[in-house]
Amino acid sequence: MTRTRPHVTVLHRWRDTHALYADYVDHGTHRVTYISTELGRASIPGDAEAVLTVGLTDDLPAVRAALTALIERYGPPEALLALNEGDSTRRPWSARSSGSPGRPRRSSPSSATSS
C-alpha cells in the first residue's frame, strides 16, 4: 500500500538565505507547498510541490485564498510553517482556520480569568 506524502504549507516572505525551509522539512518525504511573494520565489527550493504567489504576505484575504487553493488540490496540510512571527500568528493562516491539526495556544497568566 502506497502512502501519500504528508502535505506541509509554508508562508514564505523571505529572500536570499534568511529562511531555508529545506533545512526544516524534508521536501523528498513531504509535499511542501509555498505561499510566497514574487521577491521570495527565488529562494524557494526547486523540489517544492507547488508555489502560489501573493502580492504581500500581510494581505490576509490573498493568503487565505492561496491557502484554500492549496487545500483544494492537496488536502489540509499537516503543518503550517512561517518563520516570521507576525505571519505565524495571523488568524487566516492559523491551523484551526485551515482545518489542520495544530498545537493549542497556552494562555498567559495575564489572559487568565478568575472566577
Side-chain angles (χ1 to χ4, degrees):
M1 176 193 219
T2 303
R3 184 175 186 272
T4 303
R5 295 180 301 151
H7 176 206
V8 174
T9 299
V10 175
L11 183 60
H12 179 66
R13 70 163 55 222
W14 305 103
R15 60 188 168 113
D16 299 327
T17 58
H18 296 292
L20 300 175
Y21 286 96
D23 290 349
Y24 298 95
V25 59
D26 184 336
H27 286 55
T29 60
H30 295 79
R31 292 176 302 148
V32 184
T33 60
Y34 286 80
I35 300 170
S36 178
T37 61
E38 188 64 43
L39 184 63
R41 286 182 70 102
S43 64
I44 292 174
D47 54 355
E49 185 76 21
V51 181
L52 297 182
T53 303
V54 295
L56 297 168
T57 57
D58 295 339
D59 181 348
L60 300 182
V63 169
R64 182 183 293 269
L67 181 57
T68 298
L70 292 171
I71 289 170
E72 288 172 357
R73 183 163 182 193
Y74 299 100
E78 289 190 11
L80 299 169
L81 302 176
L83 291 183
N84 179 279
E85 182 178 329
D87 290 339
S88 65
T89 60
R90 295 189 198 293
R91 178 77 180 128
W93 175 245
S94 72
R96 185 172 293 147
S97 68
S98 71
S100 295
R103 292 185 299 172
R105 293 187 136 191
R106 288 189 226 157
S107 49
S108 64
S110 62
S111 67
T113 58
S114 59
S115 306

